[in-house]
Amino acid sequence: MTEKHQAEVRLQERLEFEELLNSLSARLASVTRTEKLDDVITQAVEQTCRFLGVERGLVFQFSSDRQFILCTHEWHVPHVPSAISRLACQSGRRYPWVTKSIVDHGTLVANSVAEIPEDVHRERELLLEHDVTSLVAITMNAGGETLGFIRFDSIGVQRSWSSDFVARLRM
C-alpha cells in the first residue's frame, strides 16, 4: 500500500469508529422507561464486538465493597461458549493481577495471553483454558470513580491492540 492509501484507510477506520461512538452514546442516552437498560447495554457490547471483530465482550462491575467482580453483561458469537455463568460473581482474588492491572492503569492489553507474566501463570492458564488468545480491558468510570470494566476477547486469533486504538477505545 502506498503511504497515501494507508492514511486514507486509517482515516476511514477512525471515522467509522467515531460513528460507532456517536451511535452508542445516542442509544444509551435515549433509553426509555419501557426499554430495559440491560438489553441496551448488551446490544451496545454486541455492536462494539462486531465492529472490533472480536468474539466476546464482557461487562464487569465491582461490588459496593469492592471484594467481588460481577460479570453483568455478555455478548459472544454463536460458536464461542458463554462465559457469564462462569464469571457471574468472582472474587477479585481469582484474577488479582488482571484486576489490579486494569484498575491501576485503566487498561489491560494482552496481545497474546501466553505472554502474561510467568508469575501469574494461574490467571494466564484460566484465560487459555477458555481459548482467550488476546484481550483488551478498559475501566468504566463515572464521577471520578471506577465502577468496573469492559473486556473484549479474541478467541483463537491473536490480535495486536495498538496504543492508538486502545486510546480511542477508552472514549
Side-chain angles (χ1 to χ4, degrees):
M1 274 200 245
T2 67
E3 201 172 300
K4 180 181 177 186
H5 182 69
Q6 289 175 346
E8 289 171 356
V9 168
R10 285 192 304 270
L11 178 60
Q12 183 62 35
E13 288 172 351
R14 185 176 181 133
L15 290 173
E16 289 172 5
F17 189 75
E18 288 177 11
E19 286 176 16
L20 172 68
L21 286 177
N22 289 334
S23 169
L24 294 175
S25 296
R27 182 74 179 109
L28 289 168
S30 66
V31 174
T32 65
R33 290 179 188 241
T34 58
E35 291 179 296
K36 291 184 178 177
L37 181 59
D38 286 336
D39 293 340
V40 174
I41 291 171
T42 300
Q43 290 167 2
V45 172
E46 175 183 0
Q47 193 175 355
T48 306
C49 285
R50 289 186 185 281
F51 178 83
L52 298 175
V54 296
E55 292 78 14
R56 181 170 43 223
L58 302 153
V59 177
F60 294 88
Q61 179 181 346
F62 293 115
S63 62
S64 57
D65 63 4
R66 305 197 48 89
Q67 296 298 307
F68 293 93
I69 305 164
L70 313 169
C71 184
T72 58
H73 300 83
E74 173 188 32
W75 179 84
H76 59 89
V77 294
H79 70 276
V80 169
S82 175
I84 199 165
S85 61
R86 168 175 57 81
L87 297 172
C89 183
Q90 298 288 322
S91 164
R93 290 181 291 273
R94 183 162 186 195
Y95 290 94
W97 179 83
V98 168
T99 303
K100 184 172 178 11
S101 295
I102 295 167
V103 172
D104 288 355
H105 305 290
T107 59
L108 172 62
V109 177
N111 291 324
S112 172
V113 169
E115 294 174 0
I116 288 177
E118 192 63 38
D119 58 329
V120 290
H121 68 279
R122 184 173 162 271
E123 292 176 70
R124 182 183 63 214
E125 293 306 315
L126 284 169
L127 290 165
L128 290 172
E129 275 178 29
H130 296 97
D131 299 320
V132 178
T133 308
S134 301
L135 68 87
V136 61
I138 296 163
T139 55
M140 297 181 300
N141 303 303
E145 181 182 351
T146 300
L147 305 174
F149 57 92
I150 186 165
R151 189 179 96 194
F152 298 102
D153 295 344
S154 182
I155 308 295
V157 178
Q158 189 170 325
R159 297 282 303 259
S160 180
W161 310 97
S162 73
S163 58
D164 287 345
F165 175 79
V166 173
R168 279 187 283 149
L169 191 57
R170 288 189 55 86
M171 286 193 274

